[in-house]
Amino acid sequence: MKYLDYIMNNIPEIRFPEFEKDREWEKHTIGTKFNLQDGFPFSSYDFTENGEDTMQVIRITDINNKNENGNKIFISKEYIEKSNLNSYLVKKGELVLSLTGAAGFNYFLWNSDDAYINQRTMKVSAKKAEDSFLVKLLEPLTHTTINKLGTGQNNNLSKEQMKDVEFLSPLPDEQQKVADCLISLDEVITGYEEKLKAIQSHKKGLMQNLFPQEGKTVPNYRFPEFENDGDWLEISLIDTADKNIKWSFTGGPFGSNLKASDYTSEGIRIIQLQNIGDGKFNDLYKIYTSVEKADELLSCNIYSGDIILSKMGDPVGRACIMPGESQRFVMASDGIRLAINEKKYSKYFIFSLINSDIVRTRIENKSTGSTRKRIGLDVLKKIPLLLPKKREEQQKIAECLSLVDELITQQINKIAHLKLHKKALMQGLFPKIE
């Protein structure tokens, strides 16, 4: 059967053999099968510290933010006291959708403890328990049909617009078969994600033992050949910069020196704040400027192998290593370049130390701002670091952490491939409405 026939006949491209002769999938509207509930307009005065009698609040900023692995990032982390607002609770297996999105609406299937939804969000739940699987059928619609419904400058979406959106579903037996297939794949993905968390937790514990903690001058664990080398030395972050390289410790340009009108479709890549991941370069966002503009901003250029730190964000001062070989980039205003003196210091050691809890806390304590922390170049360069006297010990620690980082990267890549496989599978298992 041709691809067009699948669309016209309301059947999926991939179908389990026992259902190949079954009738077409049935057409429904979202309003007939699902309850739609807008979020509650919680005030900032309602938020409190997390505790036994509190519940998390899902805000639109949570729905719209992902990390480089495609997982949701709960940047707000807001909580309120438990109340009787039960209609605003989102439960495991329900879909949460943003109601405003200039670049399109985002969503995710909630897979944790009950939480409240805030304004500008919506939860979608099946009216009947036996139809709970159907919420998965809405995922492919979110970035196609539903995205076309937004109105106004901010691309707003309402319950009334959602109710008439059509989708297709099979009879219960086939529903269960498709559900079992996807559930088993989700379990595999969850297993890999749990293993990733275990490796990340192992790395965190390793760093706590390999770096001296606050008030100490030696780590809890030291490689045998360095046990008699005495206390670690305290220096400032600026001391690690290579003085033989011009602008080895420098920030990005003022906003007025690099405007949207300077952006081009190709040329020298501009490194934005969102490219600076937590210990990893985030390659998802790409904008460019001309060679001429990059030359004009030569003091704000950064190169492959340099460390780049964030002046702001969550967390402030996070660092990653610029990718590629001999590539040249331009930093945006919220980046800081650090070119390490590699004759004296192990670059990977310094990079790991900057991202450690002990240094990150020092940076945060020196930052300003209540809602979003920010740190200046002059303050950041004075942040104290403790490190071994010998570069050899630095390198030994760097090699140990690098091996763990490689395991983490491998695990992240496996999860990403599985999610791509799931996406392709869903495209084949669900028919498309034209």
Side-chain angles (χ1 to χ4, degrees):
M1 187 177 286
K2 296 179 180 178
Y3 176 72
L4 183 60
D5 293 331
Y6 289 113
I7 296 174
M8 300 302 293
N9 289 310
N10 292 346
I11 61 174
E13 187 177 354
I14 301 172
R15 207 166 192 188
F16 293 99
E18 60 266 43
F19 304 110
E20 284 180 350
K21 295 181 180 179
D22 278 14
R23 68 189 190 192
E24 301 172 5
W25 282 30
E26 297 175 333
K27 188 178 288 187
H28 306 279
T29 61
I30 287 178
T32 59
K33 289 288 185 179
F34 298 100
N35 292 315
L36 307 178
Q37 176 63 59
D38 290 346
F40 186 82
F42 293 109
S43 163
S44 58
Y45 296 106
D46 297 322
F47 298 140
T48 185
E49 295 291 324
N50 185 20
E52 290 184 9
D53 295 320
T54 62
M55 296 189 73
Q56 185 174 353
V57 177
I58 302 171
R59 307 176 73 181
I60 191 169
T61 48
D62 300 320
I63 301 174
N64 287 345
N65 279 275
K66 296 180 181 179
N67 61 18
E68 60 269 25
N69 310 324
N71 296 321
K72 297 298 168 186
I73 307 172
F74 288 94
I75 59 174
S76 58
K77 297 179 182 175
E78 303 289 5
Y79 299 85
I80 66 163
E81 298 287 344
K82 292 179 182 177
S83 67
N84 59 356
L85 297 172
N86 293 335
S87 59
Y88 300 99
L89 283 176
V90 60
K91 299 179 179 295
K92 190 172 183 178
E94 295 178 339
L95 186 140
V96 186
L97 182 72
S98 63
L99 296 181
T100 301
F105 305 109
N106 287 292
Y107 71 94
F108 64 98
L109 285 170
W110 185 245
N111 194 33
S112 189
D113 296 332
D114 293 357
Y116 291 113
I117 48 171
N118 201 16
Q119 59 189 342
R120 295 192 294 155
T121 68
M122 176 193 292
K123 72 167 181 174
V124 182
S125 55
K127 289 184 175 180
K128 297 180 180 178
E130 59 266 29
D131 288 336
S132 58
F133 163 73
L134 295 181
V135 75
K136 285 185 175 290
L137 302 179
L138 303 185
E139 289 188 69
L141 294 177
T142 308
H143 291 304
T144 54
T145 307
I146 294 174
N147 256 348
K148 297 174 184 177
L149 300 177
T151 58
Q153 185 177 357
N154 294 322
N155 197 29
N156 295 314
L157 180 67
S158 70
K159 286 193 294 186
E160 296 306 314
Q161 290 171 304
M162 283 275 289
K163 284 179 180 177
D164 294 329
V165 173
E166 294 180 332
F167 70 97
L168 298 166
S169 74
L171 293 174
D173 286 350
E174 190 171 358
Q175 276 186 40
Q176 189 60 49
K177 190 78 173 181
V178 175
D180 291 343
C181 174
L182 293 176
I183 288 169
S184 63
L185 184 54
D186 283 339
E187 287 174 352
V188 173
I189 293 172
T190 299
Y192 276 96
E193 288 175 336
E194 288 175 353
K195 185 176 179 182
L196 173 62
K197 288 178 183 177
I199 299 172
Q200 290 171 329
S201 178
H202 170 68
K203 181 189 173 184
K204 186 173 183 178
L206 199 59
M207 292 176 73
Q208 288 173 345
N209 283 295
L210 289 176
F211 296 136
Q213 296 306 292
E214 197 65 67
K216 296 185 177 181
T217 55
V218 292
N220 292 332
Y221 175 82
R222 210 162 185 182
F223 293 100
E225 60 268 42
F226 306 111
E227 284 181 351
N228 297 321
D229 282 358
D231 294 345
W232 285 22
L233 297 176
E234 182 176 303
I235 62 171
S236 297
L237 183 60
I238 185 64
D239 296 328
T240 66
D242 192 337
K243 305 302 188 293
N244 295 316
I245 297 177
K246 201 171 185 180
W247 304 303
S248 58
F249 190 82
T250 187
F254 290 109
S256 59
N257 291 335
L258 185 60
K259 305 182 292 290
S261 57
D262 296 315
Y263 298 165
T264 58
S265 57
E266 57 183 21
I268 305 298
R269 185 171 176 183
I270 299 170
I271 304 304
Q272 302 172 279
L273 185 65
Q274 54 264 51
N275 293 125
I276 308 173
D278 192 353
K280 179 182 177 183
F281 183 78
N282 188 349
D283 203 29
L284 295 178
Y285 307 91
K286 296 183 181 181
I287 59 172
Y288 301 85
T289 192
S290 64
V291 173
E292 292 75 17
K293 189 64 181 180
D295 289 342
E296 181 185 323
L297 299 172
L298 198 59
S299 64
C300 305
N301 282 194
I302 186 168
Y303 303 86
S304 297
D306 288 344
I307 294 174
I308 185 169
L309 298 90
S310 64
K311 284 185 184 177
M312 63 179 297
D314 184 16
V316 63
R318 64 188 183 277
C320 66
I321 296 176
M322 294 302 301
E325 294 289 336
S326 303
Q327 286 180 257
R328 172 191 177 194
F329 310 88
V330 175
M331 288 189 298
S333 59
D334 292 316
I336 295 175
R337 178 199 185 193
L338 174 58
I340 297 291
N341 178 354
E342 296 191 57
K343 289 183 178 178
K344 291 183 65 177
Y345 307 107
S346 162
K347 178 170 63 181
Y348 207 90
F349 173 87
I350 299 298
F351 154 74
S352 300
L353 185 58
I354 292 169
N355 286 324
S356 68
D357 288 345
I358 191 78
V359 173
R360 185 161 285 175
T361 300
R362 290 172 184 171
I363 292 174
E364 188 169 338
N365 289 341
K366 291 291 184 179
S367 302
T368 58
S370 54
T371 56
R372 207 172 190 195
K373 295 287 188 179
R374 173 182 285 276
I375 192 164
L377 194 67
D378 288 338
V379 176
L380 187 63
K381 69 183 181 183
K382 297 175 184 175
I383 294 295
L385 306 177
L386 269 180
L387 69 167
K389 299 172 186 175
K390 293 181 180 177
R391 190 185 184 284
E392 291 79 8
E393 186 173 3
Q394 298 174 32
Q395 188 60 29
K396 188 85 172 182
I397 295 170
E399 288 170 359
C400 176
L401 295 174
S402 176
L403 287 173
V404 180
D405 284 340
E406 285 178 16
L407 289 176
I408 289 172
T409 299
Q410 290 171 10
Q411 201 68 13
I412 288 171
N413 290 338
K414 288 175 184 177
I415 293 168
H417 288 143
L418 282 169
K419 288 184 174 180
L420 282 175
H421 173 64
K422 178 186 173 183
K423 183 178 180 181
L425 190 61
M426 289 177 71
Q427 289 172 347
L429 287 173
F430 299 153
K432 303 162 182 66
I433 293 180
E434 289 290 326

